[in-house]
Amino acid sequence: MTITFEEPTNAGTADPCNPGDCIPGKNCVPDIECSPANHVALTATLTGNVGNCPPDDHKCQPTDCIPLSVTHRPAGLAMAEPCVPDIPCDPGDIWSCAPAKKSAGFLWLDLTRKCQLECLHCYNASGPDGDHGTMTREDWIRVLDQAIRTGVEKVQLIGGEPTMHPDFADLLSHAVSIGLQVEVYSNLVHVKAEWWELFRQPGVSLATSYYSENPPEHNEITGRDSHRKTRANIARAIGFGIPLRTGIVAMRPTQNIERTTGDLVSLGVLKVGVDRLRRFGRGEGSHPTCDVNELCGNCGDGRAAIGPDGSVTPCIMSSWLRVGNVKTTALAGILAGEEMARATATIPKRVAVDPCDPGAECRPDAYPCQPDA
């Protein structure tokens, strides 16, 4: 059941509690008057986020907190993160309380649709004419901070080409500073000198796509003279000791997957995944649009994606299955919400190993479910 309510007329006053002022069973305490210490401040800026939590060092208790089913829509924000014991309440921060249970351990942060390349099969049609969307640096920082509170352990910065986002370095550094593991999925066509130091930090790894050991074939797939640059930077990353995995998309009969894999192994790459062409974006061709059968089957299972506009989906390839937006709603509420559950339920689960990762379960921390962006 979802409980919705309007902004009260006497929030935070010393008048007796009225039914219209309060969240049922939460912020009206029996036999006492309303006050800032026991009343949720439902202002236009939503200055309070938990019921009954006084503005001091009081520890949240389960009875203090707003359940996931309670939402506040007038201000365009949702109060969807309940508190857990031993987490200090901050009534001045609508995003501060952690969720009662972990709902995802991995997030794709899809920073941009801009990319130097224009791959024939790109599932989100990124390219030189793409943009960075509407998420600001502050939006992404808030997402990272919420992610660590919700139990997320690892994020992948992807796109487009994530290093082309103007705040890429700041976002990577912040994610590492708060304890997140970070994988950067880059085409490795252009790597600034200072980025190598970022990539060498503990907890940071790289992933990239490599389509053929044959330069003309690789370049034809990417639409640019990219083979020599990507290959050289793969070798450089290995030389620096940076953890790196690669993905090969098998999309044409002329590709020699065995030789391409051998080329990568000769460079020192230890993890090489092979995926089939997924019929999305420029790879869709004449295939029906938004076909859930093209997904690997593990979308939304302990993972989710956030796009350049803040939309949350079960994975980066299921962009039409939008279940909320982090610009208006707290991340924990989206991940644990009914819309996410409904969207995930529409995706066929794989009872056997999917071609997404031959020989192993398709996991974002293993080999690529999404070898390219």
Side-chain angles (χ1 to χ4, degrees):
M1 178 180 70
T2 299
I3 304 170
T4 58
F5 49 90
E6 299 295 331
E7 183 177 345
T9 57
N10 67 335
T13 70
D15 296 329
C17 289
N18 295 312
D21 298 337
C22 307
I23 299 173
K26 290 295 171 186
N27 70 315
C28 270
V29 182
D31 302 323
I32 68 170
E33 296 180 333
C34 290
S35 72
N38 63 35
H39 202 304
V40 175
L42 302 176
T43 66
T45 56
L46 203 60
T47 58
N49 67 330
V50 290
N52 299 340
C53 285
D56 54 23
D57 293 329
H58 169 78
K59 300 289 187 178
C60 288
Q61 300 297 326
T63 54
D64 294 334
C65 305
I66 294 171
L68 287 172
S69 60
V70 177
T71 58
H72 178 66
R73 296 296 182 186
L77 295 169
M79 301 194 319
E81 296 193 21
C83 299
V84 292
D86 303 324
I87 300 296
C89 289
D90 181 0
D93 178 4
I94 63 171
W95 313 104
S96 67
C97 286
K101 65 178 182 177
K102 178 178 175 179
S103 52
F106 174 87
L107 290 178
W108 290 277
L109 304 187
D110 191 356
L111 300 182
T112 181
R113 290 288 174 270
K114 199 165 194 63
C115 185
Q116 308 99 318
L117 309 182
E118 201 164 8
C119 296
L120 297 175
H121 61 290
C122 182
Y123 63 84
N124 61 26
S126 291
D129 296 329
D131 60 42
H132 303 307
T134 58
M135 287 282 283
T136 65
R137 176 187 178 279
E138 290 70 28
D139 289 332
W140 285 118
I141 292 291
R142 189 178 65 245
V143 164
L144 290 167
D145 290 341
Q146 291 181 54
I148 197 73
R149 293 191 191 108
T150 65
V152 171
E153 298 172 352
K154 184 173 184 177
V155 298
Q156 183 188 83
L157 304 182
I158 192 168
E161 172 52 41
T163 63
M164 294 186 75
H165 191 281
D167 300 311
F168 162 73
D170 283 350
L171 298 179
L172 173 57
S173 295
H174 183 74
V176 172
S177 73
I178 61 176
L180 287 166
Q181 298 177 57
V182 184
E183 180 178 77
V184 179
Y185 208 112
S186 169
N187 56 41
L188 294 182
V189 167
H190 175 66
V191 181
K192 293 181 180 179
E194 59 267 30
W195 290 347
W196 289 115
E197 289 305 311
L198 291 176
F199 298 156
R200 294 171 73 175
Q201 296 178 94
V204 178
S205 61
L206 290 173
T208 193
S209 299
Y210 193 70
Y211 302 110
S212 177
E213 90 293 351
N214 179 12
E217 184 171 48
H218 179 100
N219 294 339
E220 183 180 350
I221 291 171
T222 64
R224 298 290 186 276
D225 179 17
S226 61
H227 181 273
R228 60 186 177 85
K229 300 171 186 176
T230 296
R231 191 178 189 279
N233 282 323
I234 289 174
R236 189 166 296 144
I238 296 297
F240 281 135
I242 299 169
L244 180 143
R245 66 183 177 92
T246 59
I248 303 171
V249 179
M251 66 182 78
R252 49 173 62 179
T254 56
Q255 283 175 279
N256 190 313
I257 303 302
E258 184 177 351
R259 280 207 303 262
T260 300
T261 300
D263 188 28
L264 290 167
V265 171
S266 73
L267 294 175
V269 179
L270 301 179
K271 291 185 177 181
V272 180
V274 181
D275 192 17
R276 65 177 176 83
L277 173 65
R278 302 281 168 173
R279 299 289 184 177
F280 301 113
R282 281 197 292 271
E284 183 179 298
S286 60
H287 194 83
T289 300
C290 305
D291 182 3
V292 293
N293 293 297
E294 285 294 296
L295 300 170
C296 78
N298 292 297
C299 306
D301 183 11
R303 71 209 70 186
I306 302 172
D309 64 350
S311 294
V312 180
T313 58
C315 78
I316 52 171
M317 290 192 182
S318 59
S319 59
W320 72 96
L321 293 175
R322 296 184 177 126
V323 299
N325 192 296
V326 294
K327 296 182 73 173
T328 58
T329 307
L331 178 63
I334 299 174
L335 297 178
E338 293 180 3
E339 290 184 49
M340 176 64 86
R342 283 195 295 268
T344 302
T346 67
I347 300 169
K349 300 299 179 185
R350 305 298 188 220
V351 295
V353 174
D354 185 81
C356 171
D357 177 21
E361 179 188 1
C362 182
R363 304 192 317 275
D365 61 345
Y367 296 92
C369 282
Q370 67 304 330
D372 185 53

